[in-house]
Amino acid sequence: MWTYHPELLATPVPRYTSYPTAAEFGDDVGPADMKEALAAIAPGTVVSLYLHIPYCRDICWYCGCNTGAANRAARLATYVERLEREIALVAQQVTGIRVGRIAFGGGSPNAIPPAAFLRLVERVRTAFDCTDAILSVEVDPRGFDRDWAGVIGRAGVSRVSLGVQTLDPQVQAAIGRVQPSEDIRRTTALLRDAGVGSINFDLMYGLPQQSEQSLRASIVESIAMGPDRLAVFGYAHVPHLVPRQRRIVADGLAGTAERFAQAALAHRMLVDAGYDPVGFDHFARPGDALAQAAASGGLRRNFQGFTEDPAEILIGLGASAISDFPDKILQTEKNTGRYGMRIEAGALATCRGLRRSPEDRLRGRAIETILTRGTTDLTALSDGADIRRRLTPFERYGLIAWEGNVLRLSEDALPYARVIARSLDAYRQPASARFSHAV
């Protein structure tokens, strides 16, 4: 059982899917930085590709993703055409790279017609060396049908993530995402028939009107559907940053103690059901590649959360997509109209991001190892004494221990991992209220 220490969770913290985080992005980078980063990739390097589809069948109120309504066929067709052009533009900038993974996310990739998705996959495979590349797709069960399942099978998709969030009708209504359980069961069955070997369910806790009983029922029903992985995220209520969240009645949101109890419940139930915990909010069956990476020390963390992807470079394609290079993080224009104009003009659409300093890279790696391995060596950091001082309360509760300059987290420290990581974050001193709950 996790022990609740409210004073340790009082400070909002980032999710640390990158370091520095997106809060530090600025507009002093642009297409020239992207060209330079792409040109610097050595031939033979294995990279990952992420393609962003910023459209959804329906817009959920809780969602902080960059997405819009897929209500005009012409708009979707135009976006796909521009994404195809961007694929070609990026391919022209690199020489001899290999693609190990191709991920489609959003939004909802299945907001576009299945034939358009298949064409995008073919464009990527033609433009890059994608021999044996793992192909994954995020799917909205609402509207998913046999045509889409057939295309997923033909494209060779091996991993799919379903946006489930909750199976409680009352909570679904409170977040603007109504999808009967039968939609999830039907989609899962179609994907299995299409040959998809790894299916992930995204669930959430801390949602409006959500109780422990409600969360328990959603987890029990989800487990019965047999997903290979589950991610159980804490809902981040930040209406000052995500205007659509203003439609959510804040009075129905759980407090910090309730959120902690819900997170602990999810962890306990999934471990008891035979899933291995991966990081602090992912779970996988023991034979799954994600669980194997966690057990072997190969777990990583990037913009898609915890992953077994070993690539050091992620190239993002599409509006708002983020590219991750060792010395740079670069984001494409978020507005689909402006993104399209840049691509139509034959230019890369990079408009925000940052250049990583050597210190940033050291801290980023240290934060990642805290979150993925529960330990890190602080020898190379210049402010080790200050970090120790900031971590004194965690040491007092037995959540961490020191072996020289090596920091180790106890098993009970799992729900505090992001708060512990914040102690290494040079941009979070002092703390900022920009972020959501630590748990």
Side-chain angles (χ1 to χ4, degrees), residues 391-404:
L391 290 174
T392 299
F394 300 90
E395 188 175 12
R396 187 180 304 127
Y397 284 121
L399 299 174
I400 64 167
W402 295 95
E403 298 175 8

Side-chain angles (χ1 to χ4, degrees), residues 141-165:
R142 299 170 297 178
F144 190 82
D145 56 21
R146 290 189 179 278
D147 288 343
W148 251 101
V151 162
I152 277 179
R154 289 197 296 277
V157 175
S158 60
R159 299 178 185 178
V160 172
S161 182
L162 301 185
V164 177
Q165 320 315 343

Side-chain angles (χ1 to χ4, degrees), residues 15 52 59-67 106-107 204 235-239 241-245 248 320 331 334:
R15 296 189 184 274
H52 189 70
I59 304 301
C60 307
W61 305 340
Y62 69 89
C63 180
C65 297
N66 179 53
T67 188
M204 298 185 79
Y235 167 58
H237 189 64
V238 284
L241 299 175
V242 184
R244 63 175 67 114
Q245 291 185 354
I248 289 177
S320 80
Q331 185 172 27
K334 290 184 179 182

Side-chain angles (χ1 to χ4, degrees), residues 31 39 97 103 135 152 155 159 170 216 239 248 294 382 394 403 424:
I97 67 170
L135 180 55
I152 277 179
R159 299 178 185 178
Q170 180 182 358
R216 181 187 299 275
I248 289 177
S382 59
F394 300 90
E403 298 175 8
L424 279 66

Side-chain angles (χ1 to χ4, degrees), residues 27-248:
D27 57 6
D28 59 340
V29 298
D33 292 274
M34 186 65 171
K35 288 188 70 172
E36 179 184 57
L38 292 170
I41 304 176
T45 300
V46 179
V47 307
S48 295
L49 300 181
Y50 172 79
L51 291 87
H52 189 70
I53 308 297
Y55 297 101
C56 289
R57 175 179 175 270
D58 296 297
I59 304 301
C60 307
W61 305 340
Y62 69 89
C63 180
C65 297
N66 179 53
T67 188
N71 53 8
R72 296 210 304 269
R75 174 197 287 176
L76 298 180
T78 298
Y79 180 79
V80 170
E81 290 173 3
R82 288 166 172 171
L83 187 49
E84 290 181 58
R85 291 192 181 195
E86 187 185 13
I87 292 168
L89 282 171
V90 169
Q92 292 169 9
Q93 309 297 321
V94 296
T95 303
I97 67 170
R98 294 174 49 227
V99 174
R101 292 168 189 258
I102 308 164
F104 282 80
S108 303
N110 60 309
I112 64 176
F117 168 77
L118 192 60
R119 193 169 73 244
L120 284 171
V121 173
E122 291 170 349
R123 292 288 188 273
V124 169
R125 286 177 170 157
T126 300
F128 301 96
D129 177 1
C130 298
T131 306
D132 299 325
I134 295 170
L135 180 55
S136 64
V137 183
E138 294 177 4
V139 161
D140 182 347
R142 299 170 297 178
F144 190 82
D145 56 21
R146 290 189 179 278
D147 288 343
W148 251 101
V151 162
I152 277 179
R154 289 197 296 277
V157 175
S158 60
R159 299 178 185 178
V160 172
S161 182
L162 301 185
V164 177
Q165 320 315 343
T166 175
L167 295 171
D168 184 323
Q170 180 182 358
V171 181
Q172 290 179 350
I175 62 174
R177 187 187 180 94
V178 176
Q179 54 182 11
S181 297
E182 179 53 35
D183 285 2
I184 314 299
R185 282 191 289 272
R186 174 182 49 78
T187 299
T188 301
L190 287 171
L191 291 170
R192 294 298 190 196
D193 289 344
V196 176
S198 182
I199 296 177
N200 172 75
F201 282 12
D202 279 349
L203 299 176
M204 298 185 79
Y205 66 87
L207 292 168
Q209 309 303 323
Q210 188 177 42
S211 63
E212 284 190 47
Q213 182 179 4
S214 164
L215 178 61
R216 181 187 299 275
S218 288
I219 293 174
V220 168
E221 192 169 358
S222 294
I223 291 172
M225 297 184 203
D228 305 278
R229 303 179 182 185
L230 296 101
V232 188
F233 301 113
Y235 167 58
H237 189 64
V238 284
H240 55 293
L241 299 175
V242 184
R244 63 175 67 114
Q245 291 185 354
R246 295 169 188 163
R247 301 184 68 177
I248 289 177

Side-chain angles (χ1 to χ4, degrees), residues 331-410:
Q331 185 172 27
T332 304
E333 168 64 57
K334 290 184 179 182
N335 180 277
T336 54
R338 290 194 293 269
Y339 159 81
M341 287 189 291
R342 292 193 183 198
I343 298 300
E344 289 286 351
L348 297 170
T350 307
C351 71
R352 284 180 61 77
L354 53 84
R355 301 179 186 94
R356 282 190 177 112
S357 69
E359 180 75 7
D360 287 336
R361 295 170 69 174
L362 282 173
R363 289 181 187 274
R365 184 58 183 154
I367 286 173
E368 183 183 30
T369 56
I370 285 175
L371 301 181
T372 58
R373 302 181 189 178
T375 185
T376 197
D377 188 340
L378 304 181
T379 301
L381 297 184
S382 59
D383 59 343
D386 290 336
I387 293 171
R388 280 179 177 265
R389 175 181 51 78
R390 290 193 285 266
L391 290 174
T392 299
F394 300 90
E395 188 175 12
R396 187 180 304 127
Y397 284 121
L399 299 174
I400 64 167
W402 295 95
E403 298 175 8
N405 289 320
V406 176
L407 168 67
R408 297 194 186 280
L409 279 62
S410 71

